[in-house]
Amino acid sequence: MRFSYLQRSCRSGNHVVRAEFRLLDPVPHPSFPNPTIQEALCEFHFQGKPGSMWTPAKPGALANLLRNSYPEFETVTEQGFQIAIGSDGMVAPAPMVPQFRLRFSNPESVFLLQIAQSTFSVHTVGRYPGWPAFKAELLRAWEAATEVLAPNLITRIGLRYINRVPRLSQGEPPRAWLKSSRNIPEALLDSLPGYVFRMEVATAEAERSVTTVTTDQRPSEKFGALMLDIDRVSQRLIQAGDAQLPDILERLHEDVWQVFDQAKNENLEAYLKGENRDTAA
């Protein structure tokens, strides 16, 4: 889905009236037989309605509500650390208050759901099912969970796609799969292994785009993999049940796709289409 915007302004007395029209161009994105998406996730940060509090009964209520779609349920505790500087000037890690998440899964589904006191996220595990299915499950699960969560406002929406491309040699530079673009600098493309590139820009008021390129190593991979991590964030406040939520998600997804589409070169295009890797790279 592609979006374009048309703005018109006119003056009435001492006031300027501005109207914005959104035009939708329904051009579907291609579906590749060999996708590189390791994980896709969308996370909402929300504020509860006045008087709504997290209680010990909510995990059980959520598990009961979601059991048909997500029959497996567990509590995951996350322990974080922060750097503290003592009176003697020494630097030491200081443990933070443990945070917990409720994790809901289904062995027969590619989706995984995580909920905490003020966050809600849907993740894909295994083969990516495509944006229409991902978006539909995200909206369905959110609508169901609001019955227990009682959210008032969504304060942040993050849509993130983590791409993994196995590398073909130890010294393979990023240029083997990527090309320079608005988000990928030319200097990165010929870097030797050990590179970490991260760019965070404010694309609009209360909106950010984060692009990260690095490498990762798994025991099963001889040369590791190139990681292209694209994160699109909106911090515009909207009502939890705002009718514009599907359109906001479409816009964020379109932005993620544009970053990926502009960064992939012919080799990565061939790999996505399942063509011979040796000749593609």
Side-chain angles (χ1 to χ4, degrees), residues 232-248:
R232 187 66 171 81
V233 177
S234 173
Q235 293 177 300
R236 299 176 185 273
L237 301 183
I238 65 170
Q239 294 294 320
D242 198 312
Q244 295 184 39
L245 179 57
D247 288 342
I248 294 172

Side-chain angles (χ1 to χ4, degrees), residues 106-128:
N106 185 337
E108 298 181 358
S109 172
V110 298
F111 298 110
L112 180 146
L113 181 63
Q114 292 196 130
I115 300 175
Q117 294 188 33
S118 60
T119 62
F120 167 94
S121 62
V122 174
H123 308 242
T124 63
V125 291
R127 189 173 180 85
Y128 179 62

Side-chain angles (χ1 to χ4, degrees), residues 2-279:
R2 294 184 180 178
F3 294 77
S4 58
Y5 293 87
L6 177 64
Q7 290 187 343
R8 290 290 184 265
S9 299
C10 61
R11 181 173 294 277
S12 177
N14 295 324
H15 303 282
V16 176
V17 180
R18 179 175 289 106
E20 182 179 278
F21 304 91
R22 185 183 61 190
L23 307 177
L24 299 184
D25 178 16
V27 178
H29 297 153
S31 178
F32 296 107
N34 193 31
T36 57
I37 298 170
Q38 173 181 282
E39 181 183 6
L41 65 102
C42 186
E43 182 176 72
F44 297 166
H45 289 223
F46 62 88
Q47 292 179 357
K49 293 178 180 179
S52 174
M53 298 178 60
W54 186 269
T55 66
K58 283 196 173 183
L62 285 166
N64 184 60
L65 180 70
L66 300 168
R67 68 179 184 274
N68 290 334
S69 299
Y70 298 93
E72 298 186 359
F73 161 60
E74 62 179 324
T75 300
V76 180
T77 302
E78 300 176 347
Q79 177 66 66
F81 290 87
Q82 59 184 351
I83 300 300
I85 302 177
S87 57
D88 57 356
M90 298 296 292
V91 177
M96 301 174 65
V97 177
Q99 302 292 321
F100 72 90
R101 291 179 182 269
L102 308 177
R103 180 175 295 170
F104 302 87
S105 60
N106 185 337
E108 298 181 358
S109 172
V110 298
F111 298 110
L112 180 146
L113 181 63
Q114 292 196 130
I115 300 175
Q117 294 188 33
S118 60
T119 62
F120 167 94
S121 62
V122 174
H123 308 242
T124 63
V125 291
R127 189 173 180 85
Y128 179 62
W131 171 242
F134 182 25
K135 176 188 173 185
E137 178 58 18
L138 171 64
L139 293 172
R140 187 203 67 79
W142 170 246
E143 182 178 8
T146 56
E147 182 178 329
V148 174
L149 298 176
N152 184 38
L153 295 174
I154 297 177
T155 60
R156 182 184 187 274
I157 301 175
L159 182 63
R160 182 180 179 188
Y161 278 73
I162 304 172
N163 294 272
R164 185 183 192 92
V165 185
R167 301 168 69 239
L168 294 176
S169 66
Q170 186 61 43
E172 180 183 271
R175 188 182 296 277
W177 304 109
L178 304 177
K179 63 184 179 183
S180 61
S181 66
R182 291 182 59 190
N183 296 276
I184 304 296
E186 181 70 27
L188 170 69
L189 299 181
D190 294 316
S191 174
L192 296 174
Y195 54 85
V196 178
F197 168 78
R198 184 180 187 275
M199 181 178 75
E200 179 174 346
V201 296
T203 54
E205 184 179 355
E207 300 203 358
R208 293 182 291 113
S209 177
V210 183
T211 305
T212 304
V213 181
T214 187
T215 57
D216 184 54
Q217 183 74 51
R218 288 177 176 174
S220 60
E221 296 170 338
K222 185 176 181 181
F223 302 114
L226 177 143
M227 307 297 295
L228 174 57
D229 187 335
I230 306 169
D231 194 1
R232 187 66 171 81
V233 177
S234 173
Q235 293 177 300
R236 299 176 185 273
L237 301 183
I238 65 170
Q239 294 294 320
D242 198 312
Q244 295 184 39
L245 179 57
D247 288 342
I248 294 172
L249 294 173
E250 285 288 351
R251 175 170 53 81
L252 296 179
H253 179 260
E254 177 64 22
D255 290 347
V256 170
W257 163 253
Q258 289 299 327
V259 173
F260 180 78
D261 187 47
Q262 294 168 14
K264 63 181 173 66
N265 65 14
E266 294 179 355
N267 293 336
L268 184 49
E269 179 86 17
Y271 175 63
L272 291 165
K273 293 178 179 178
E275 297 177 3
N276 186 281
R277 296 209 54 192
D278 295 327
T279 59

